[in-house]
Amino acid sequence: MKKKHILYYLIILFINNYATAQHIQPGTKAVLDKLEQYQLHNQSAEAIKVLDIGIKSINSPADLAYLYAYKSSIYASIDSLLMAKRLSDLSFENAKKSKKPTSLAVAFRAKAFLNNVMNLPDLVVKDALDGLKLIEKSDEDPVTKYHLNYLLYGAYSKWDDDQKMERYIHEAQYYALKSGNVNLQVNVNNGISSIYLMRYRKKTQQSLLDSSFHYLDNSFKLLQQHPERVSGNTSVITYINLANYYLDFSTKELSIREQKASEYLSLGEEILKKHEATPEKWMNIFGIKSGFAKKQGNVQLAEQYLLLGLSQLMKANGNYFRLEYTVNKDLAELAGKRSDLKAELAYQQRAEELLKKSFNEQQLFNAQKLEVQYETSKKDQELQLLKEREAFGRKQKYLYGVIAFALLLGLVFMFTSYHFKLRYSIEREKKLAKEKEDAEQQAQMQLLLEKEEQARLKAEQELLDLRKQQLEKEALANSLIIDRKNEILKQIQDKIKRGEAVHIPKLLKEEMLVQSDFEDIKLQVQELHPDFFHRLTEKATQKLTPLDLKYCTYIYLKMTTKQIAHALYVEPQSVRMFKYRLKQKFGLGKDEDLERFLSE
């Protein structure tokens, strides 16, 4: 088979690797985890089923935007363009409902991928840049950022713009590493390798070829370390690229090159036998084997390898008319080299039949493409019409505003003259009102001053009353002390008269012991509420004597019966009897407590 930039072709063919998105609901994450496993093993039908189940069970517009976007990309990869377009539109509708930039970015990713399949790189660039702009300041979804940058790399590769390719593949590399997705990291290494290979073909510098192989080798090392985390398609692509390097670019002996290539191709065949990669890769594997046979001059073996590749391709579901056409053209060339005109003619006729089928298939593809473009154009026109209506509505509102403003100016002009005529009378009325107001304010000020003077006099009177009450309390406290002293003196005199002077020191000693208690009592009496005695008089049903007030004061101060007896030089039984008489004077019942009554 003729060399047709196999490395570049395979890198661009499979860029739709799925990885679990962040910042989504647990149910959606579970769906995407299953989806990733199916994609790793090339099970598109199962992937679509799990997406359908997820779409039915999930209500979040933000998460539905993800699911519809992924489903759209699967249908686009199998050339079901109309279905992919409708699913892409559903992704956009849900993303707009959610108002989340990440969901809208993944919708742009699906749209860009569809345009990539339809070979519209200018639209791929537009959609991918729109998606990146939405999430450029967000770290929520590195996987979507990876895909958008990888799509930009793919678009610029179709224009051979290696500067832009390098820029976006390195952006993709950054987000592949940030996401921790090994499958994406292998894809990136393969992409960087293709850039160096493209430059080598232009400049034939050995350093460029070495760099290309270096990144392929990085991909292979990642495959060896994490085989379960790399998709079958990505793995086979890597093996084919390495084998192709030994076929076309290695400078080692041909036998060594063939042995190394065979090792990589065997690994690829193991994956293809398990149906974990798309079947057209069989043709790439046998095409490389055929290439080695041609280099060895074994035309018949080269032909057999191509036929084996075709037989594997025939076993697969799907149409590969373009690839079969290319293989039959190579077979016709090989038949011509071994002078088998009959076989050459048969291969050529088969190639022409396949070319017609390929042409018809391309026509169907183009018809889908045109229909998608028509629907897109129609939707864009509807969107443009809505925008124009909005713009017209804004202009209309502006016009109404201008008209309203003009009417307002007219009214202002009409009322200005009337206002001018009334100004003098209004100002006169204002002057009269001001004079009246000043008079009222003056009267209010005078009234306020009188009230303040009355308040001052009242405060002074209250202060005098408070001072009087304080003096009364001090007098009461002092009278208690004086009564106590008088009582002591009286006792001393009695003992002297009776000739009991010997007991006087004992009496004085007892007095010293209770002296400190009386000092405390004096202070507590002075701190009594000013209305205490007044309230006692009001509550009493009989007139209270000074001695009654003394007893009430002692009881209020929570002095015990014994303390009161010592203070008044009476027996405790007398104190208890006096308490009983006080209860009667206050009209208290038998069960009512005198101390509680006084404290309240």
Side-chain angles (χ1 to χ4, degrees), residues 335-346:
K337 286 182 179 180
R338 60 185 178 83
S339 302
D340 188 343
L341 297 178
K342 184 178 179 181
E344 181 181 6
L345 180 60

Side-chain angles (χ1 to χ4, degrees), residues 172-228:
Q173 183 183 38
Y174 171 79
Y175 291 111
L177 291 169
K178 191 170 184 179
S179 69
N181 189 299
V182 179
N183 192 52
L184 304 184
Q185 293 170 29
V186 173
N187 270 339
V188 164
N189 280 310
N190 288 345
I192 297 173
S193 173
S194 73
I195 293 175
Y196 283 108
L197 186 59
M198 183 177 70
R199 290 174 178 172
Y200 171 75
R201 286 183 173 132
K202 292 178 181 178
K203 300 179 181 179
T204 64
Q205 293 178 1
Q206 185 60 36
S207 61
L208 295 172
L209 187 61
D210 292 343
S211 295
S212 177
F213 181 78
H214 168 75
Y215 282 101
L216 280 178
D217 191 51
N218 284 347
S219 293
F220 180 71
K221 289 175 181 175
L222 284 169
L223 278 171
Q224 296 296 99
Q225 293 169 5
H226 311 282
E228 75 288 348

